[in-house]
Amino acid sequence: MELTAEQIAEVLGGVVDGDREAKVTTFARIESGKPGSISFYANPKYEKYVYSSKATIIIVNKSFEPKESLKATLVRVDDAYSAVAALLDYVTAERKKYCRHRGRHCHIAFSSKIGKKVYVGDCSFIGKKAKVGDFTKIYEQVYIGEGVEIGSRCIIYPGVKIYPGMKIGNNVIIHANAVIGADGFGFAPLEDGTYRKIQHTGNVIIGNDVEIGANTCIDKSQIGSTIINDGVKNDNLCQIAHNVEVGRNTVMSAMVGIAGSTKVGEHCIFAGQVGIANGLKIASNTTIGAQSGIISNINEEGEVLFGTPALKHREFLRAYAVFRRNGRGGGKQD
């Protein structure tokens, strides 16, 4: 990466305040900016770093009026925070040159259909009758089973395992060692105290613009499909069980666990280590705080919940106050 202030302003629709030919080759946080780096300033509490930063270029809002002299060249934009995201997208796209590649020792079944400019890394496996869309990148040591369908412009990172029959949309990112389509946790207890495995014959359907974190597991359904709808973002180490459906644009942090047959609405936010019991319905626009446990349906949209069992935010705070008064919940103990 090498960009001038003038080029950056052109990409972002901004205005240069300073040296139009100033060049940068890397990004840096504003408090640790170095010569040759570009930073941004959007949060007022970081204003002091604008004057002390050694970054060559700083992206700022057009409304910013410096109170001291500046060393850096400024690129003024309407919204500095979103402008940085746009610039990162631009740089990533420039680095990502789509090309047809077949790594050493990779296996691609003759009956599979591979789109144009698809990258397949070393030791990856693509099974019979699989379909891979244009410009998709499949890194090293990926397993793609028979009949899998993967859309265009996807990124499948090393070590991902996609079981036979799974369906994945366009612009999907699946991070390292995720497993798509393992059997759900289904066993029938028998009279002698042992368990009989319940076979899972369904699949997983992942929509467009989904991102799946590293070491996440999404189980296939017993019958029908486990469904991850468009725009869902999962962090690392999440577990989504069989027959779950996750609504559009729902996001979940690390170590969230959703038990079987639960239906999650759209635009929900689950913080780290949230656990949801099986067969529940979670209304759209629900926010659940970290380490909360959900054991009953959430029927009202827009609720904010904390605790185990989860309570509405205000109820949780009142309950916590009682715990503290009784020497629990982090308060002083005798």
Side-chain angles (χ1 to χ4, degrees):
M1 159 187 158
E2 181 176 281
L3 295 170
T4 66
E6 186 173 18
Q7 289 172 320
I8 293 167
E10 184 177 347
V11 170
L12 301 179
V15 177
V16 178
D17 184 352
D19 182 5
R20 303 180 69 84
E21 297 302 317
K23 293 181 180 180
V24 293
T25 57
T26 188
F27 291 86
R29 295 173 63 87
I30 192 167
E31 61 268 36
S32 56
K34 297 179 180 180
S37 67
I38 181 170
S39 301
F40 79 100
Y41 164 65
N43 189 329
K45 73 178 185 179
Y46 290 96
E47 182 174 355
K48 63 181 181 180
Y49 296 113
V50 177
Y51 311 114
S52 62
S53 179
K54 295 180 181 179
T56 299
I57 298 174
I58 301 176
I59 299 172
V60 301
N61 293 331
K62 289 180 178 178
S63 60
F64 171 64
E65 295 295 338
K67 300 181 179 66
E68 303 176 20
S69 61
L70 297 171
K71 300 176 183 178
T73 291
L74 302 183
V75 174
R76 295 181 177 274
V77 295
D78 292 329
D79 183 344
Y81 195 78
S82 61
V84 170
L87 185 60
L88 287 167
D89 285 344
Y90 173 80
V91 170
T92 301
E94 286 296 303
R95 288 175 176 170
K96 186 178 178 182
K97 301 298 183 182
Y98 292 108
C99 62
R100 184 184 184 277
H101 172 80
R102 301 294 181 264
R104 293 193 308 165
H105 309 300
C106 71
H107 171 86
I108 302 174
F110 181 77
S111 58
S112 64
K113 294 182 179 180
I114 309 299
K116 62 183 180 182
K117 294 188 176 181
V118 170
Y119 178 104
V120 182
D122 294 353
C123 301
S124 287
F125 178 97
I126 300 177
K128 297 177 181 178
K129 299 181 180 179
K131 297 179 181 179
V132 179
D134 299 341
F135 308 113
T136 284
K137 187 165 187 177
I138 298 167
Y139 277 85
E140 289 67 34
Q141 297 183 333
V142 170
Y143 170 83
I144 297 173
E146 181 176 347
V148 168
E149 296 180 13
I150 299 175
S152 299
R153 300 181 186 274
C154 296
I155 301 174
I156 314 297
Y157 280 103
V160 169
K161 305 296 185 288
I162 304 175
Y163 282 46
M166 307 301 116
K167 296 183 178 181
I168 296 168
N170 301 318
N171 302 308
V172 172
I173 299 173
I174 305 178
H175 287 277
N177 299 316
V179 177
I180 311 299
D183 284 354
F185 191 69
F187 299 90
L190 303 178
E191 292 182 358
D192 62 0
T194 61
Y195 292 87
R196 179 177 180 177
K197 181 177 177 62
I198 298 174
Q199 298 299 324
H200 289 65
T201 61
N203 70 348
V204 173
I205 298 175
I206 296 176
N208 301 323
D209 304 304
V210 172
E211 185 156 353
I212 305 298
N215 295 298
T216 285
C217 188
I218 303 176
D219 294 343
K220 66 183 177 183
S221 56
Q222 291 179 355
I223 299 172
S225 300
T226 300
I227 300 173
I228 310 298
N229 283 293
D230 294 352
V232 170
K233 314 296 182 187
N234 289 356
D235 198 358
N236 304 328
L237 293 164
C238 291
Q239 164 64 37
I240 299 177
H242 59 85
N243 292 93
V244 166
E245 180 172 357
V246 180
R248 292 185 305 118
N249 300 313
T250 284
V251 297
M252 56 190 75
S253 297
M255 301 180 74
V256 167
I258 304 177
S261 301
T262 289
K263 308 300 179 187
V264 177
E266 300 178 355
H267 301 282
C268 294
I269 301 172
F270 301 159
Q273 296 185 328
V274 164
I276 300 176
N278 66 299
L280 300 183
K281 293 183 179 181
I282 310 298
S284 296
N285 299 297
T286 297
T287 298
I288 305 175
Q291 296 188 326
S292 296
I294 308 300
I295 61 173
S296 59
N297 292 334
I298 300 172
N299 297 313
E300 294 183 25
E301 292 191 13
E303 288 195 8
V304 180
L305 305 165
F306 288 85
T308 302
L311 302 171
K312 292 182 180 180
H313 186 210
R314 290 184 179 179
E315 293 177 7
F316 174 81
L317 293 177
R318 287 197 295 266
Y320 184 67
V322 173
F323 296 157
R324 286 184 62 86
R325 284 198 300 269
N326 286 278
R328 299 182 177 87
K332 184 178 180 181
Q333 300 185 27
D334 295 332

